[in-house]
Amino acid sequence: EVYRQFSTQTVRPSDSKSAAQIQRLKNALNFIYEHYNEPISMSDVAQFCNVNYTYFCRLFRQYTNRKFSDYLLDYRIKKARIFLLKSSSSILDVSMKCGFDSVSYFIRKFRESTGLTPKKFRERYTKSEA
């Protein structure tokens, strides 16, 4: 959603600073989408975008209204929901595919986000689709 918003945004030539910021944000979002299943940090993404950590933190928050860690966590949970519904992989495998180091952390964050454990989520939504 955020990426779509910036990919369709037109920038006037006189607004080159804004264009550069939007391009950095697009690069950052692409990095997240391609590497969400790996251990990544805001420092990694800032380095990838060739900006310092503090500037990147401010830029990311300015354009997304979210902290980087919250955005990454939400994206990983979104991907986990898809894996849970489209595969029969174990909860542990899904958590690892989505970049979580700990299955217990994954389950806790998944429940905070969806109101259900991954197992209950899979049971509820695969039954309703069958």
Side-chain angles (χ1 to χ4, degrees):
E1 234 175 81
V2 173
Y3 184 80
R4 220 173 317 139
Q5 175 187 349
F6 293 112
S7 65
T8 59
Q9 196 170 47
T10 56
V11 180
R12 294 181 303 278
S14 62
D15 200 6
S16 62
K17 181 178 179 184
S18 180
Q21 290 175 337
I22 290 170
Q23 188 57 50
R24 282 191 179 102
L25 184 64
K26 285 181 185 180
N27 292 342
L29 294 175
N30 279 330
F31 187 88
I32 291 168
Y33 301 155
E34 292 173 10
H35 299 278
Y36 70 91
N37 57 340
E38 302 168 14
I40 58 174
S41 67
M42 189 162 60
S43 296
D44 297 331
V45 182
Q47 186 176 13
F48 175 77
C49 294
N50 295 317
V51 294
N52 73 42
Y53 179 89
T54 306
Y55 174 77
F56 180 75
C57 180
R58 205 171 41 246
L59 176 73
F60 195 86
R61 190 137 200 179
Q62 174 187 348
Y63 282 100
T64 65
N65 294 319
R66 317 236 0 246
K67 292 190 319 188
F68 173 83
S69 58
D70 292 341
Y71 188 91
L72 178 60
L73 178 64
D74 287 347
Y75 188 73
R76 286 176 169 168
I77 296 293
K78 177 182 176 182
K79 295 301 277 187
R81 289 192 318 243
I82 294 168
F83 282 129
L84 287 166
L85 297 177
K86 302 228 183 257
S87 77
S88 59
S89 298
S90 71
I91 304 302
L92 173 63
D93 288 344
V94 169
S95 71
M96 295 298 152
K97 285 179 188 177
C98 294
F100 290 91
D101 308 357
S102 160
V103 71
S104 61
Y105 178 74
F106 167 66
I107 292 169
R108 186 172 73 246
K109 291 300 181 180
F110 192 92
R111 186 183 330 193
E112 287 173 11
S113 176
T114 65
L116 299 166
T117 64
K119 182 179 177 182
K120 292 287 185 192
F121 178 87
R122 177 182 270 164
E123 288 171 359
R124 177 178 287 178
Y125 292 106
T126 52
K127 284 181 184 175
S128 66
E129 291 178 6

mmCIF file of all heavy atoms in Angstrom, residues 27-46:
data_model
loop_
_atom_site.group_PDB
_atom_site.id
_atom_site.type_symbol
_atom_site.label_atom_id
_atom_site.label_comp_id
_atom_site.label_asym_id
_atom_site.label_seq_id
_atom_site.Cartn_x
_atom_site.Cartn_y
_atom_site.Cartn_z
ATOM 1 N N ASN A 27 13.389 2.428 -2.521
ATOM 2 C CA ASN A 27 14.490 1.472 -2.411
ATOM 3 C C ASN A 27 14.425 0.720 -1.086
ATOM 4 O O ASN A 27 14.647 -0.491 -1.038
ATOM 5 C CB ASN A 27 15.837 2.181 -2.543
ATOM 6 C CG ASN A 27 16.075 2.726 -3.934
ATOM 7 O OD1 ASN A 27 15.416 2.328 -4.898
ATOM 8 N ND2 ASN A 27 17.007 3.650 -4.050
ATOM 9 N N ALA A 28 14.123 1.441 -0.025
ATOM 10 C CA ALA A 28 14.022 0.816 1.299
ATOM 11 C C ALA A 28 12.887 -0.202 1.332
ATOM 12 O O ALA A 28 13.051 -1.317 1.840
ATOM 13 C CB ALA A 28 13.812 1.880 2.369
ATOM 14 N N LEU A 29 11.733 0.166 0.791
ATOM 15 C CA LEU A 29 10.591 -0.753 0.786
ATOM 16 C C LEU A 29 10.892 -1.978 -0.067
ATOM 17 O O LEU A 29 10.561 -3.101 0.324
ATOM 18 C CB LEU A 29 9.337 -0.035 0.300
ATOM 19 C CG LEU A 29 8.823 1.083 1.213
ATOM 20 C CD1 LEU A 29 7.652 1.803 0.565
ATOM 21 C CD2 LEU A 29 8.451 0.559 2.589
ATOM 22 N N ASN A 30 11.531 -1.787 -1.197
ATOM 23 C CA ASN A 30 11.915 -2.935 -2.026
ATOM 24 C C ASN A 30 12.866 -3.858 -1.273
ATOM 25 O O ASN A 30 12.755 -5.077 -1.354
ATOM 26 C CB ASN A 30 12.558 -2.482 -3.337
ATOM 27 C CG ASN A 30 11.535 -2.087 -4.366
ATOM 28 O OD1 ASN A 30 10.427 -2.607 -4.383
ATOM 29 N ND2 ASN A 30 11.903 -1.157 -5.227
ATOM 30 N N PHE A 31 13.801 -3.262 -0.540
ATOM 31 C CA PHE A 31 14.735 -4.057 0.251
ATOM 32 C C PHE A 31 13.983 -4.900 1.283
ATOM 33 O O PHE A 31 14.245 -6.084 1.447
ATOM 34 C CB PHE A 31 15.761 -3.146 0.942
ATOM 35 C CG PHE A 31 16.856 -3.893 1.628
ATOM 36 C CD1 PHE A 31 18.001 -4.245 0.941
ATOM 37 C CD2 PHE A 31 16.741 -4.246 2.968
ATOM 38 C CE1 PHE A 31 19.022 -4.944 1.577
ATOM 39 C CE2 PHE A 31 17.748 -4.937 3.616
ATOM 40 C CZ PHE A 31 18.897 -5.290 2.915
ATOM 41 N N ILE A 32 13.028 -4.272 1.949
ATOM 42 C CA ILE A 32 12.221 -4.997 2.943
ATOM 43 C C ILE A 32 11.457 -6.132 2.272
ATOM 44 O O ILE A 32 11.444 -7.263 2.761
ATOM 45 C CB ILE A 32 11.244 -4.041 3.661
ATOM 46 C CG1 ILE A 32 12.007 -3.071 4.554
ATOM 47 C CG2 ILE A 32 10.207 -4.822 4.476
ATOM 48 C CD1 ILE A 32 11.167 -1.920 5.085
ATOM 49 N N TYR A 33 10.816 -5.863 1.148
ATOM 50 C CA TYR A 33 10.000 -6.868 0.472
ATOM 51 C C TYR A 33 10.841 -8.034 -0.038
ATOM 52 O O TYR A 33 10.364 -9.167 -0.078
ATOM 53 C CB TYR A 33 9.219 -6.250 -0.691
ATOM 54 C CG TYR A 33 8.298 -5.119 -0.271
ATOM 55 C CD1 TYR A 33 7.936 -4.137 -1.172
ATOM 56 C CD2 TYR A 33 7.810 -5.021 1.023
ATOM 57 C CE1 TYR A 33 7.101 -3.094 -0.801
ATOM 58 C CE2 TYR A 33 6.980 -3.970 1.408
ATOM 59 C CZ TYR A 33 6.626 -3.019 0.490
ATOM 60 O OH TYR A 33 5.805 -1.993 0.859
ATOM 61 N N GLU A 34 12.085 -7.779 -0.392
ATOM 62 C CA GLU A 34 12.947 -8.834 -0.910
ATOM 63 C C GLU A 34 13.698 -9.592 0.185
ATOM 64 O O GLU A 34 14.124 -10.720 -0.032
ATOM 65 C CB GLU A 34 13.952 -8.243 -1.902
ATOM 66 C CG GLU A 34 13.295 -7.747 -3.175
ATOM 67 C CD GLU A 34 14.258 -7.006 -4.091
ATOM 68 O OE1 GLU A 34 15.483 -7.033 -3.837
ATOM 69 O OE2 GLU A 34 13.772 -6.383 -5.055
ATOM 70 N N HIS A 35 13.872 -8.966 1.352
ATOM 71 C CA HIS A 35 14.703 -9.565 2.400
ATOM 72 C C HIS A 35 13.975 -9.755 3.722
ATOM 73 O O HIS A 35 14.620 -9.982 4.749
ATOM 74 C CB HIS A 35 15.945 -8.694 2.631
ATOM 75 C CG HIS A 35 16.808 -8.564 1.422
ATOM 76 N ND1 HIS A 35 17.720 -9.521 1.058
ATOM 77 C CD2 HIS A 35 16.871 -7.589 0.474
ATOM 78 C CE1 HIS A 35 18.326 -9.148 -0.051
ATOM 79 N NE2 HIS A 35 17.825 -7.977 -0.440
ATOM 80 N N TYR A 36 12.647 -9.669 3.732
ATOM 81 C CA TYR A 36 11.894 -9.765 4.987
ATOM 82 C C TYR A 36 12.156 -11.072 5.721
ATOM 83 O O TYR A 36 12.034 -11.152 6.934
ATOM 84 C CB TYR A 36 10.388 -9.616 4.735
ATOM 85 C CG TYR A 36 9.786 -10.797 4.019
ATOM 86 C CD1 TYR A 36 9.247 -11.860 4.729
ATOM 87 C CD2 TYR A 36 9.795 -10.866 2.631
ATOM 88 C CE1 TYR A 36 8.718 -12.959 4.068
ATOM 89 C CE2 TYR A 36 9.267 -11.950 1.976
ATOM 90 C CZ TYR A 36 8.736 -12.993 2.692
ATOM 91 O OH TYR A 36 8.227 -14.089 2.038
ATOM 92 N N ASN A 37 12.537 -12.107 4.984
ATOM 93 C CA ASN A 37 12.734 -13.420 5.591
ATOM 94 C C ASN A 37 14.140 -13.588 6.168
ATOM 95 O O ASN A 37 14.462 -14.627 6.717
ATOM 96 C CB ASN A 37 12.452 -14.526 4.577
ATOM 97 C CG ASN A 37 13.316 -14.405 3.340
ATOM 98 O OD1 ASN A 37 13.846 -13.353 3.039
ATOM 99 N ND2 ASN A 37 13.442 -15.495 2.625
ATOM 100 N N GLU A 38 14.949 -12.548 6.073
ATOM 101 C CA GLU A 38 16.308 -12.563 6.609
ATOM 102 C C GLU A 38 16.373 -11.650 7.828
ATOM 103 O O GLU A 38 15.533 -10.776 7.997
ATOM 104 C CB GLU A 38 17.290 -12.040 5.544
ATOM 105 C CG GLU A 38 17.264 -12.830 4.255
ATOM 106 C CD GLU A 38 18.019 -12.141 3.136
ATOM 107 O OE1 GLU A 38 18.790 -11.187 3.407
ATOM 108 O OE2 GLU A 38 17.822 -12.553 1.978
ATOM 109 N N PRO A 39 17.391 -11.832 8.652
ATOM 110 C CA PRO A 39 17.550 -10.886 9.764
ATOM 111 C C PRO A 39 18.035 -9.541 9.226
ATOM 112 O O PRO A 39 19.174 -9.427 8.786
ATOM 113 C CB PRO A 39 18.588 -11.544 10.672
ATOM 114 C CG PRO A 39 19.183 -12.659 9.895
ATOM 115 C CD PRO A 39 18.334 -12.926 8.705
ATOM 116 N N ILE A 40 17.151 -8.573 9.188
ATOM 117 C CA ILE A 40 17.535 -7.234 8.715
ATOM 118 C C ILE A 40 17.221 -6.209 9.792
ATOM 119 O O ILE A 40 16.319 -6.384 10.592
ATOM 120 C CB ILE A 40 16.842 -6.839 7.394
ATOM 121 C CG1 ILE A 40 15.323 -6.870 7.518
ATOM 122 C CG2 ILE A 40 17.311 -7.700 6.259
ATOM 123 C CD1 ILE A 40 14.592 -6.355 6.289
ATOM 124 N N SER A 41 17.983 -5.151 9.762
ATOM 125 C CA SER A 41 17.785 -4.067 10.728
ATOM 126 C C SER A 41 17.637 -2.753 9.970
ATOM 127 O O SER A 41 17.906 -2.676 8.766
ATOM 128 C CB SER A 41 18.988 -3.978 11.672
ATOM 129 O OG SER A 41 20.133 -3.564 10.944
ATOM 130 N N MET A 42 17.254 -1.745 10.689
ATOM 131 C CA MET A 42 17.138 -0.430 10.086
ATOM 132 C C MET A 42 18.510 0.042 9.610
ATOM 133 O O MET A 42 18.619 0.700 8.579
ATOM 134 C CB MET A 42 16.528 0.579 11.061
ATOM 135 C CG MET A 42 16.207 1.887 10.379
ATOM 136 S SD MET A 42 15.066 2.951 11.248
ATOM 137 C CE MET A 42 15.909 3.242 12.764
ATOM 138 N N SER A 43 19.559 -0.321 10.310
ATOM 139 C CA SER A 43 20.918 0.032 9.881
ATOM 140 C C SER A 43 21.242 -0.587 8.532
ATOM 141 O O SER A 43 21.854 0.059 7.673
ATOM 142 C CB SER A 43 21.951 -0.449 10.900
ATOM 143 O OG SER A 43 21.782 0.197 12.111
ATOM 144 N N ASP A 44 20.829 -1.837 8.329
ATOM 145 C CA ASP A 44 21.053 -2.505 7.048
ATOM 146 C C ASP A 44 20.372 -1.756 5.913
ATOM 147 O O ASP A 44 20.953 -1.537 4.855
ATOM 148 C CB ASP A 44 20.509 -3.941 7.065
ATOM 149 C CG ASP A 44 21.197 -4.841 8.058
ATOM 150 O OD1 ASP A 44 22.385 -4.615 8.364
ATOM 151 O OD2 ASP A 44 20.530 -5.789 8.536
ATOM 152 N N VAL A 45 19.137 -1.360 6.135
ATOM 153 C CA VAL A 45 18.368 -0.680 5.094
ATOM 154 C C VAL A 45 18.923 0.724 4.856
ATOM 155 O O VAL A 45 19.043 1.156 3.707
ATOM 156 C CB VAL A 45 16.861 -0.650 5.430
ATOM 157 C CG1 VAL A 45 16.082 0.006 4.309
ATOM 158 C CG2 VAL A 45 16.338 -2.055 5.676
ATOM 159 N N ALA A 46 19.283 1.414 5.906
ATOM 160 C CA ALA A 46 19.876 2.752 5.752
ATOM 161 C C ALA A 46 21.163 2.659 4.945
ATOM 162 O O ALA A 46 21.402 3.470 4.039
ATOM 163 C CB ALA A 46 20.139 3.374 7.123
#
